[in-house]
Amino acid sequence: INAEYMGTFLTMSGLQSVPDKVSFPDEEAKICRFWEEIDAFQESVRRSEGRPEYSFYDGPPFATGLPHYGHILAGTIKDIVTRYAHMTGHHVSRRFGWDCHGLPVEYEIDQALGLKTREDVHALGIERYNAECRKIVMRFATEWETVVKRMGRWIDFRNDYKTLDTPYMESVWSVFQQLYQKNLVYRGFKVMHVSTACGTPLSNFEASQNYREVQDPSVVLRFKILDDDACFLAWTTTPWTLPSNLALIVHPNIKYVRFVEKATGRVYVAGKPRLVDMLYKSLDEVQILAEFDGSELVGKRYQPLFPYWAHKQAEGAYRVIAGDFVDDKTGTCIVHCAPAHGEDDYRVALANNIIQEGTLDCLVDNYGLFSPVVTDFAGQHVKAADKSIIRYLKDHDNLFNSSTIHHEYPFCWRSDTPLISKAMASWFVRVTSLKDDLIANNKKTRWVPDTIRDGRFHNWLASSRDWSISRNRYWGTPIPLWVSEDGEEVVCIGSIAELERRTGHRPTDLHREFVDHLTIPSSRTPGTVLRRIPDTFDCWFESGSMPYAQVHHPFENVERFERTFPADFIAEGVDQTRGWFYTLMVISTALYNQPPFKNLIVNGLVLASDGRKMSKRLKNYPDPMLVAETHGCDALRLYLIDSPVVRAENLRFDIAGVRDVVKEFILRFHNAYRFLIMYALPLHFAPNQREALESSNVMDKWILTVVSSVIRFVAAEMAEYRLSTVLGRLTKFVDELTNWYLRFNRQRLKGRKGEAEQRTSLNVLFEVVYTFARVMAPFTPFIVESMYQNLKFMLPEAERQPSIHFLNFPQPQCTSDPVLERQIKRLQVVITLGRLIRDRRRISLKTPVREIIIINKDVEYLNDLRAFLPYLYGELHVKQVTLTEQEEQYVLLSAEGVPRSLGKRLGKSGGAVAAQIKSWTNDQVKAFVATGRGMVGEVEVTTDDVTVKKTFRGNDAEAVYEAATAGDGDVVMLVDIREDAQLRDEGLVYSFVNRVQKARKAAHLTPEIPLAVVLSAVPEALWRVLTEEPTASMVRFSLPGVALSRVLPENARRLSDPVDVSLVGHSFQLHLISP
């Protein structure tokens, strides 16, 4: 391996040979060092200044955990799109961002310090608590930067943004103040999902992120009706909410029954639709006494299950009220109402004066513990108390039945603990008032795939609820509201300068420990002050403010912000549909009535190979860095984007898929590049684009046309942000380049067709490889950089750039040529047919065959092939090619019915018609083909109903043919598979030449190195074939300048180790020596 080639690119001074084997991971590591040495990313940004701006927003991850495949996938998508934007003439600023506040950080500190309640935090002190949070925020920042850069992503870590930075936090204050001034902020009392592990409420989209299948209690309770011997039966899966019960809810229009349970004689009231299945196995177990609408039950009073709030009975509690959300598909049609723990419960109880606006007692604290009022369960966590509560109800004769139920239940996205519903005082953004504008702005954006925009995201917007943005936590941006003691006077601060003007102090930081103690004199009541509310912002409010806060808008960079808003492009996972995508849209709509982005790629989830979530505990996925060091990041990038995951579907990660990308794409393209260098280097070749584009060789014209069509295709797909379609076309091109163009032009490239043809073909190959490398630059940044650092020495010095990524995306140089593309496609079809027949009969490609007959009734098809007869002879390795339209001489026709068409049109009788079609004779099928119509009894069938097939008539006494068809039988190929001595000898020569070339390659001997070949102990029959005509001339043509000998000289200078060879029963030893 060339030492200079494997060294740093900065030491290269000219075109270098390319080793046969190369470690792509090692090459990528070398590229990473090279980019660092020339500061490649920052230099590319500097060089693009003054170009049209392409705006990109990077969603901020938490740095408290290590990057996983989801981050790598999203990062790859972002890198491809922004690299492409840069290469197509744009200035693309790419700043990395960090989400630094919120539950992920606080939860870790709580666990580390053993803090369980707010009192624990206050005892420690907010200043010290936040200092501990600050310590771990950027704990894995170095690892993130290492992984991101190793994956080939170019993004600015030096000028990153952090949500904990004071300028960022000040912009968040400004965003909030604007919402406040638009009357979009209010303080409310709502039932919300609460994480008891973190002691804080979650927004509705946070609560929707982590649902799980769980087993919960399913209990039916007896509520004893006052002044009656009957009981109401109500159902719940949350026994812990029963101490908070204040009412029972019925639907006014559902039918209810009063009945006697025959087994016990007890009298109950429940919904008639639920008597069977929910309560009893059959109606035989009960005697119905009366039937009535739910409205007749409204106002009836019952005895509380627990004594804790018995005094509320005098205030109007513990009675039946009506609610239209009650259904007849679940439970007993009677809903137990705990206003402190249910959104519908709260709404209906408020409407019926069970509770009053703005006040609500609650028996459960934010950590899910029962208060001292609940004397029987005080201090117990509500979920843990379920069994004790059920036992209590049973002991007090209030339990009708008890079982379990499997259902979906929300868990905290951070602590992985069950959420509870609890009424909380919170500050809200009036999202419901923005609903129509949100839906309209969503329609202005492009999502890939658009089904997420028009489905999941649209539905989420259409059902939007007001957004709770306050958190009773510590490590976050404080909500800038200063409020009087009676709550009547409120001041919203929007900047540090305003805070200084109001308080007389200018904080250097905006975290709680720096601003909580500051007070604002009351303008309403002299001598009193306003104090800041203790809440911080939901961290999603901070990340949703990212477009403004990352540039410290509106305090700085106003013109820059206006130039780059909304973003041209963002990308994240489908889980952000109810997260970052939503908060971005809400805030931008509220502030500017604009969408925050123009284009969005949504990716799905990367799962383990078994379909389960990737888990460090289960170790069910390979370490991304190990994959990178084994197969390379280019391969990982291509594997990820060529999968359902870029269409918002899930991907089961399979390391074999990464390996296949190396084998099927990267290695093959690299081999084409190596082939170019191998033959260009000895000639000191300087490519000439004009000569390449003016080549008259039909194969040259074809491959140049194809690479131009690839450019147009990639440009069109990237304009629509359809990454998932790109790799398939790129892979097809590599196949066309390596399996077709290079195969067809080996002799030209090697100089066997003369120096002029060699230079023309090298010009074309350079143009194609160099062009395709630039096409691939956004997708596989490493391998194309490695190639360019060598290829550029073939360019005029004035055209050389330090990096391929400083070049523009190539423009098509050739117009499309449909006729030529059709001709080549047909050529490929028949050559593939010939290879198929050889494989079937195990006839080596090195062994020639006597004749191939190609049959097609289309004269144009045959004329297309006639234009390429030399390629047919060469690739099919055949002595005679016969093209004929005389199908009847060789082909039998048969027909089959199309089940779907016949069944749709004829129903059950379609099967009988299909059977008759299958029995048609050759002449009947021929008549059908002539007209496109036929009769089966009285039923007329057309080409939609019938498939015509062509098969070989059979062999005669003179020849033995193997047949194959393609294109639904449009083309039939017959191969004469008889073998004779001359054909065997020619096959032997080709096999011998192949072994010599393999030995030469294994010894790293390039074509310009002279050599002689010695065959020790070679059988006389083989020697005669190699040295006597007519086959000797074949050896001389295939191994020009190579002398053959049977004697190894004593002083021979060996160029390789001896190779033991066996060719069709002929065994000998092969020596490569200097002549």
Side-chain angles (χ1 to χ4, degrees), residues 769-804:
V769 169
Y770 180 47
T771 299
F772 192 65
R774 285 175 287 156
V775 171
M776 287 303 303
F779 304 93
T780 55
F782 292 106
I783 186 65
V784 297
E785 183 74 276
S786 174
M787 293 177 179
Y788 178 73
Q789 291 307 315
N790 203 25
L791 288 171
K792 70 180 183 181
F793 290 107
M794 300 168 71
L795 296 170
E797 194 163 346
E799 295 180 19
R800 300 174 192 172
Q801 295 290 339
S803 168
I804 193 172

Side-chain angles (χ1 to χ4, degrees), residues 270-412:
K272 182 180 180 181
R274 302 298 294 161
L275 275 182
V276 178
D277 291 337
M278 184 67 197
L279 298 174
Y280 300 98
K281 292 182 179 179
S282 77
L283 287 177
D284 294 338
E285 298 179 56
V286 302
Q287 178 184 348
I288 294 177
L289 303 176
E291 180 178 325
F292 38 81
D293 290 337
S295 57
E296 295 184 34
L297 295 174
V298 173
K300 289 190 176 294
R301 308 175 75 81
Y302 63 92
Q303 182 179 321
L305 297 180
F306 297 90
Y308 318 125
W309 279 348
H311 63 280
K312 291 183 180 290
Q313 193 151 25
E315 301 170 6
Y318 303 113
R319 58 187 168 91
V320 177
I321 57 179
D324 56 7
F325 71 92
V326 179
D327 66 50
D328 60 2
K329 301 294 188 297
T330 57
T332 66
C333 303
I334 300 177
V335 174
H336 126 70
C337 174
H341 300 294
E343 192 171 358
D344 285 325
D345 300 33
Y346 180 86
R347 174 178 56 83
V348 175
L350 189 65
N352 285 273
N353 295 315
I354 300 292
I355 59 174
Q356 304 304 312
E357 180 80 55
T359 61
L360 181 62
D361 294 332
C362 189
L363 298 175
V364 179
D365 69 13
N366 288 354
Y367 294 94
L369 306 179
F370 279 117
S371 73
V373 174
V374 188
T375 53
D376 297 282
F377 315 109
Q380 292 186 36
H381 190 278
V382 293
K383 297 294 284 185
D386 274 344
K387 290 184 179 179
S388 300
I389 290 171
I390 294 171
R391 191 178 307 113
Y392 176 98
L393 294 167
K394 182 177 181 181
D395 292 344
H396 288 76
D397 195 32
N398 289 323
L399 182 67
F400 179 82
N401 66 34
S402 176
S403 60
T404 58
I405 186 174
H406 287 270
H407 64 157
E408 292 281 310
Y409 193 86
F411 278 64
C412 174

Side-chain angles (χ1 to χ4, degrees), residues 616-901:
K616 290 181 181 178
R617 179 178 58 83
L618 296 175
K619 298 180 180 179
N620 60 351
Y621 67 95
D623 185 298
M625 293 301 281
L626 181 61
V627 174
E629 298 311 317
T630 306
H631 302 291
C633 294
D634 278 342
L636 179 57
R637 287 166 64 107
L638 290 182
Y639 170 72
L640 290 174
I641 69 160
D642 187 42
S643 72
V645 80
V646 290
R647 299 190 298 273
E649 301 170 24
N650 292 341
L651 166 67
R652 293 189 177 193
F653 187 87
D654 185 356
I655 192 67
V658 183
R659 203 161 43 233
D660 288 344
V661 171
V662 176
K663 182 174 66 175
E664 299 298 327
F665 185 87
I666 294 176
L667 188 59
R668 289 168 68 185
F669 181 45
H670 188 268
N671 284 341
Y673 153 74
R674 186 178 62 82
F675 194 83
L676 167 66
I677 301 300
M678 181 189 306
Y679 290 101
L681 188 61
L683 300 176
H684 304 288
F685 178 71
N688 185 307
Q689 185 187 51
R690 182 180 58 79
E691 289 184 15
L693 298 177
E694 292 177 356
S695 171
S696 60
N697 180 279
V698 68
M699 283 298 166
D700 291 347
K701 289 181 177 181
W702 169 69
I703 198 65
L704 289 168
T705 299
V706 171
V707 78
S708 286
S709 71
V710 168
I711 295 170
R712 282 188 285 268
F713 176 84
V714 172
E717 295 304 289
M718 292 298 290
E720 298 294 326
Y721 293 83
R722 289 193 293 258
L723 272 63
S724 62
T725 62
V726 171
L727 186 61
R729 184 65 188 91
L730 300 179
T731 302
K732 181 183 177 184
F733 174 76
V734 169
D735 177 71
E736 289 167 329
L737 174 62
T738 57
N739 274 357
W740 298 101
Y741 180 77
L742 289 182
R743 283 180 65 91
F744 286 152
N745 289 275
R746 282 171 301 191
Q747 303 305 323
R748 293 175 68 219
L749 288 160
K750 292 177 180 180
R752 307 278 174 77
K753 302 290 186 179
E755 184 179 342
E757 280 295 297
Q758 183 180 28
R759 288 193 170 275
T760 299
S761 59
L762 285 173
N763 271 318
V764 171
L765 184 55
F766 176 87
E767 176 69 16
V768 169
V769 169
Y770 180 47
T771 299
F772 192 65
R774 285 175 287 156
V775 171
M776 287 303 303
F779 304 93
T780 55
F782 292 106
I783 186 65
V784 297
E785 183 74 276
S786 174
M787 293 177 179
Y788 178 73
Q789 291 307 315
N790 203 25
L791 288 171
K792 70 180 183 181
F793 290 107
M794 300 168 71
L795 296 170
E797 194 163 346
E799 295 180 19
R800 300 174 192 172
Q801 295 290 339
S803 168
I804 193 172
H805 302 291
F806 296 174
L807 303 176
N808 288 334
F809 196 78
Q811 296 298 312
Q813 299 299 315
C814 300
T815 57
S816 60
D817 188 338
V819 172
L820 179 59
E821 291 178 16
R822 182 195 72 219
Q823 290 174 326
I824 298 297
K825 186 172 183 179
R826 288 172 171 176
L827 177 67
Q828 291 171 333
V829 166
V830 297
I831 289 174
T832 302
L833 270 182
R835 293 172 181 172
L836 174 68
I837 292 174
R838 283 178 173 273
D839 286 343
R840 190 190 299 161
R841 299 298 300 217
R842 297 183 180 178
I843 303 172
S844 168
L845 278 172
K846 298 174 185 64
T847 302
V849 294
R850 292 181 180 219
E851 183 186 21
I852 289 179
I853 301 171
I854 300 170
I855 307 158
N856 194 295
K857 297 193 75 171
D858 184 351
V859 175
E860 179 193 73
Y861 195 110
L862 298 179
N863 287 338
D864 283 349
L865 296 180
R866 283 192 182 92
F868 292 89
L869 275 177
Y871 295 102
L872 284 175
Y873 277 101
E875 286 301 313
L876 295 176
H877 206 173
V878 60
K879 296 295 183 179
Q880 176 64 40
V881 174
T882 300
L883 304 175
T884 178
E885 57 190 283
Q886 300 303 314
E887 194 175 70
E888 295 81 358
Q889 182 179 344
Y890 302 98
V891 172
L892 282 173
L893 300 178
S894 62
E896 290 183 358
V898 179
R900 177 176 294 182
S901 176

Side-chain angles (χ1 to χ4, degrees), residues 24-172:
F24 294 119
D26 289 349
E27 199 68 11
E28 290 178 356
K30 184 172 65 170
I31 295 294
C32 285
R33 293 193 299 271
F34 170 69
W35 285 341
E36 290 286 340
E37 289 169 350
I38 68 169
D39 196 16
F41 169 54
Q42 295 294 345
E43 178 61 20
S44 73
V45 174
R46 284 191 289 270
R47 286 171 176 243
S48 66
E49 288 177 0
R51 294 179 180 179
E53 193 80 32
Y54 183 88
S55 177
F56 160 70
Y57 295 160
D58 191 36
F62 288 107
T64 50
L66 291 169
H68 52 66
Y69 281 103
H71 297 117
I72 292 169
L73 167 63
T76 297
I77 292 170
K78 297 170 188 177
D79 190 59
I80 289 171
V81 172
T82 52
R83 281 182 182 273
Y84 178 80
H86 171 83
M87 291 187 73
T88 51
H90 296 88
H91 179 262
V92 190
S93 296
R94 285 156 271 180
R95 297 179 66 200
F96 202 81
W98 302 101
D99 206 342
C100 305
H101 288 148
L103 287 182
V105 181
E106 290 200 17
Y107 184 71
E108 285 204 34
I109 295 303
D110 290 348
Q111 298 299 302
L113 300 183
L115 306 175
K116 298 186 182 301
T117 65
R118 292 177 62 81
E119 289 71 23
D120 293 341
V121 176
H122 285 233
L124 179 69
I126 294 176
E127 182 175 1
R128 184 178 167 192
Y129 183 83
N130 278 357
E132 293 295 325
C133 290
R134 193 184 295 269
K135 286 179 185 177
I136 71 163
V137 161
M138 302 302 290
R139 179 173 56 196
F140 294 117
T142 300
E143 287 85 348
W144 267 87
E145 186 169 356
T146 299
V147 171
V148 168
K149 288 184 174 179
R150 181 61 188 87
M151 293 297 157
R153 186 179 177 194
W154 277 8
I155 193 163
D156 193 347
F157 281 97
R158 300 177 199 169
N159 188 35
D160 56 3
Y161 72 86
K162 303 180 183 71
T163 59
L164 62 76
D165 289 341
T166 300
Y168 192 101
M169 296 171 72
E170 185 179 26
S171 289
V172 173

Side-chain angles (χ1 to χ4, degrees), residues 574-586:
V574 69
D575 54 327
Q576 295 301 321
T577 303
R578 297 179 176 183
W580 192 52
F581 302 155
Y582 177 72
T583 61
L584 283 173
M585 185 67 78
V586 168

